[in-house]
Amino acid sequence: MKLSKYNEYVDFGDEVIIFNMTSRALILISKDEFDIIRSNPKSSFINEKTTEKLRNNNILVNKSLNEEDVLLYNINRWKHNQKVLSLFISFTSQCNLQCSYCYQDSSNKKNTFLSLDNWKIIFSHIKRKLTAQDIREVSIVLFGGEPTLNMDILIQAVNDVHSLRTKRTSVNMALITNGTLINNDKLLSVINNINMIQITLDGVKDIHDKRRVYRNGLGTFDIIMNNLKLLRDNYTNDVLIRCNADKENFESIKLLFDYLRQESLFDLITGVDIGHVYSSQENIKMNKCETLLSKEGDERIKELFDYAVKKGYRISRNYVNGPCMGLAINGYAIDENLNIYSCPGFLYEEPEGMIDHTGGIEIIHNRWFDIINEVPRQCLANCKYVPICYGGCKWMAKEGERKCNKEFYDRHLKDYLKLYVNANYANEIEKESLC
């Protein structure tokens, strides 16, 4: 046996966090145990239970195996897994807000809504997939635009997708919303069929209301706060708060974490995610986001995550960026006109395929196959981070060239692993158990 090349080791007081990038496992062991394992993975001084956990989580691997080949084999299995279906479904390209930094350029949108007839075709497509492929896991993201603008069809979709839940088939639904229209009795009546709701807040009222505004210029902070309180009283599943950060609102985001506690909303929030602001969709495609994704910005966002953790919030696994759903044959986005795209970032560009009136798929663009078939050979050969990056984001890359994340991981991965363990496993650490 040998320690995997895809392990990351992080000092954590008298212990060591071991993170394996292929299994995504996090294990906490004493430094004494770690020193023994590092010097001799076969040592008889390592207890059998620890050895078994290390092997089961790919931290210890067979010495004779080429890990690059094993990784590529497992990624190919994941790509072609027909037992899992992952969809992003857009309910409208329209939004009721006019956020100052919105990267979803309006130039390529036609303000369309998903019709009932088209939803029925999408649902027929999902059921057809379930029957033909004996799918066991369905993951659906309900998004837009602002999906709650198409409320009746959204509620119909939530009810229809919920009906697919059986002992054999698990269903996970997530709603990405700006949070302004949740105060709808019909939506509240079905909202617990949705597993997770993501809502964006960009700071406390004075800053948020300069950035995330209605089309008439009025701010949205108060209505979102009221709607969070409605969720607190009516919703029992996960709420993720998303913050879009730049120089204007760093300090306000810290104040927001304090304010949510003051308003007795802390227990509602099961996770926090913080991301960079992008200037425009076109600039992302042209890879002109370096000034927004600067080293200084990365440090400041890490500072915000650190503040959130110190305030007791759980955080997302923002350090895992790949492989993305676009690489999987059963992972794609669907727009209101039944066009399909390997990634939701490509929405409203040239579609890669379409769903026909029978619920079948026709692929019409080579990008679909290019993305699925692509293998980042150079990354596989030279970078230990490839299992959690897989060459970077295709959508954010220049044509034929990906943006390398190695420098980011070199600088920040250890810190984010510490933050994630502190945020999500504090009780287990106190009990000296595994993460």
Side-chain angles (χ1 to χ4, degrees):
M1 301 299 292
K2 64 180 179 180
L3 286 164
S4 170
K5 66 184 285 185
Y6 298 121
N7 291 339
E8 185 76 11
Y9 309 106
V10 186
D11 286 340
F12 198 76
D14 294 330
E15 296 168 300
V16 175
I17 299 168
I18 305 177
F19 171 55
N20 181 266
M21 299 179 215
T22 60
S23 66
R24 314 290 165 83
L26 283 162
I27 288 182
L28 193 68
I29 64 172
S30 71
K31 283 188 175 178
D32 290 340
E33 280 185 300
F34 177 67
D35 289 340
I36 294 169
I37 293 166
R38 186 167 51 181
S39 60
N40 180 10
K42 292 184 178 180
S43 174
S44 59
F45 292 103
I46 308 170
N47 69 62
E48 188 175 329
K49 182 180 178 182
T50 299
T51 300
E52 182 182 3
K53 286 186 179 293
L54 295 176
R55 292 184 65 176
N56 289 344
N57 290 293
N58 297 342
I59 290 167
L60 284 178
V61 296
N62 192 304
K63 195 171 184 178
S64 64
L65 291 178
N66 182 315
E67 289 190 79
E68 294 167 23
D69 291 340
V70 175
L71 174 64
L72 189 56
Y73 169 77
N74 286 328
I75 287 176
N76 283 331
R77 285 181 62 196
W78 169 80
K79 283 182 179 182
H80 297 280
N81 183 1
Q82 296 194 359
K83 301 299 182 185
V84 177
L85 179 64
S86 300
L87 302 177
F88 275 68
I89 301 174
S90 178
F91 285 79
T92 177
S93 59
Q94 195 170 57
C95 185
N96 59 332
L97 304 190
Q98 194 164 8
C99 300
S100 60
Y101 54 80
C102 184
Y103 71 87
Q104 294 182 317
D105 303 327
S106 59
S107 57
N108 58 352
K109 291 184 178 182
K110 296 180 181 178
N111 289 332
T112 53
F113 287 80
L114 180 66
S115 67
L116 180 59
D117 287 343
N118 279 357
W119 164 248
K120 288 179 178 178
I121 292 172
I122 292 173
F123 190 52
S124 171
H125 167 70
I126 295 170
K127 291 190 292 184
R128 178 172 169 171
K129 281 269 191 182
L130 262 65
T131 301
Q133 299 178 6
D134 190 27
I135 284 173
R136 303 298 178 87
E137 296 178 31
V138 178
S139 176
I140 294 181
V141 178
L142 317 166
F143 83 124
E146 173 49 46
T148 57
L149 286 174
N150 198 357
M151 189 67 78
D152 289 342
I153 306 303
L154 176 65
I155 292 169
Q156 179 73 47
V158 170
N159 285 328
D160 287 344
V161 173
H162 176 65
S163 73
L164 300 175
R165 290 185 165 111
T166 67
K167 290 182 179 180
R168 287 174 56 85
T169 304
S170 66
V171 173
N172 187 287
M173 271 187 285
L175 173 65
I176 298 177
T177 173
N178 58 39
T180 59
L181 296 172
I182 288 173
N183 54 340
N184 178 288
D185 289 341
K186 290 183 180 179
L187 179 60
L188 290 172
S189 71
V190 302
I191 204 158
N192 282 299
N193 293 335
I194 300 171
N195 301 84
M196 188 275 283
I197 299 174
Q198 175 183 302
I199 294 174
T200 302
L201 285 164
D202 278 0
V204 291
K205 181 177 172 63
D206 62 329
I207 295 297
H208 176 96
D209 280 352
K210 292 178 182 177
R211 299 161 62 88
R212 300 188 62 81
V213 299
Y214 290 111
R215 294 191 173 275
N216 63 5
L218 293 177
T220 58
F221 186 82
D222 290 338
I223 185 64
I224 294 171
M225 293 304 299
N226 287 336
N227 286 344
L228 284 173
K229 291 171 183 176
L230 273 178
L231 289 178
R232 180 187 60 195
D233 298 334
N234 293 277
Y235 185 61
T236 58
N237 295 324
D238 292 337
V239 173
L240 177 72
I241 296 297
R242 163 78 182 194
C243 303
N244 297 314
D246 56 25
K247 293 179 180 179
E248 180 187 59
N249 69 328
F250 273 116
E251 295 305 318
S252 188
I253 289 173
K254 293 180 183 179
L255 295 175
L256 172 68
F257 296 142
D258 296 328
Y259 183 78
L260 291 170
R261 272 189 170 275
Q262 293 169 17
E263 294 296 306
S264 301
L265 291 167
F266 173 79
D267 290 337
L268 169 72
I269 298 162
T270 52
V272 168
D273 191 25
I274 306 163
H276 288 273
V277 168
Y278 304 120
S279 58
S280 74
Q281 205 162 23
E282 191 60 33
N283 277 352
I284 291 171
K285 289 185 289 181
M286 296 301 294
N287 204 22
K288 293 178 180 176
C289 49
E290 285 84 355
T291 56
L292 295 169
L293 300 176
S294 65
K295 293 177 183 177
E296 179 191 1
D298 288 335
E299 290 289 348
R300 295 299 305 277
I301 283 182
K302 187 168 65 178
E303 176 187 325
L304 291 176
F305 273 112
D306 181 61
Y307 190 86
V309 171
K310 287 176 179 174
K311 292 295 179 179
Y313 292 92
R314 295 193 170 203
I315 62 173
S316 63
R317 283 197 176 197
N318 70 312
Y319 50 83
V320 176
N321 295 312
C324 74
M325 61 166 274
L327 300 174
I329 60 171
N330 266 0
Y332 41 93
I334 307 171
D335 74 13
E336 309 83 35
N337 295 311
L338 306 180
N339 297 309
I340 65 171
Y341 311 82
S342 54
C343 167
F346 292 126
L347 222 67
Y348 311 120
E349 296 181 22
E350 188 174 359
E352 292 155 49
M354 61 190 69
I355 301 174
D356 64 31
H357 69 281
T358 69
I361 278 186
E362 180 184 1
I363 302 301
I364 59 174
H365 196 296
N366 275 335
R367 184 173 64 203
W368 175 273
F369 301 105
D370 291 341
I371 289 176
I372 291 174
N373 292 329
E374 184 180 7
V375 177
R377 296 285 180 187
Q378 187 174 354
C379 300
L380 279 166
N382 299 306
C383 184
K384 74 174 184 178
Y385 303 121
V386 66
I388 58 172
C389 175
Y390 208 67
C393 177
K394 183 69 174 176
W395 170 57
M396 292 179 67
K398 291 179 182 177
E399 191 70 26
E401 180 184 343
R402 291 181 183 267
K403 183 177 176 66
C404 180
N405 293 315
K406 185 177 184 303
E407 184 180 358
F408 174 86
Y409 284 125
D410 284 341
R411 291 168 58 90
H412 301 294
L413 180 58
K414 290 180 187 292
D415 291 335
Y416 273 116
L417 289 170
K418 287 181 184 179
L419 288 173
Y420 186 81
V421 169
N422 273 323
N424 297 281
Y425 296 102
N427 292 333
E428 287 83 348
I429 291 169
E430 290 172 6
K431 296 173 185 175
E432 298 184 350
S433 52
L434 294 173
C435 300

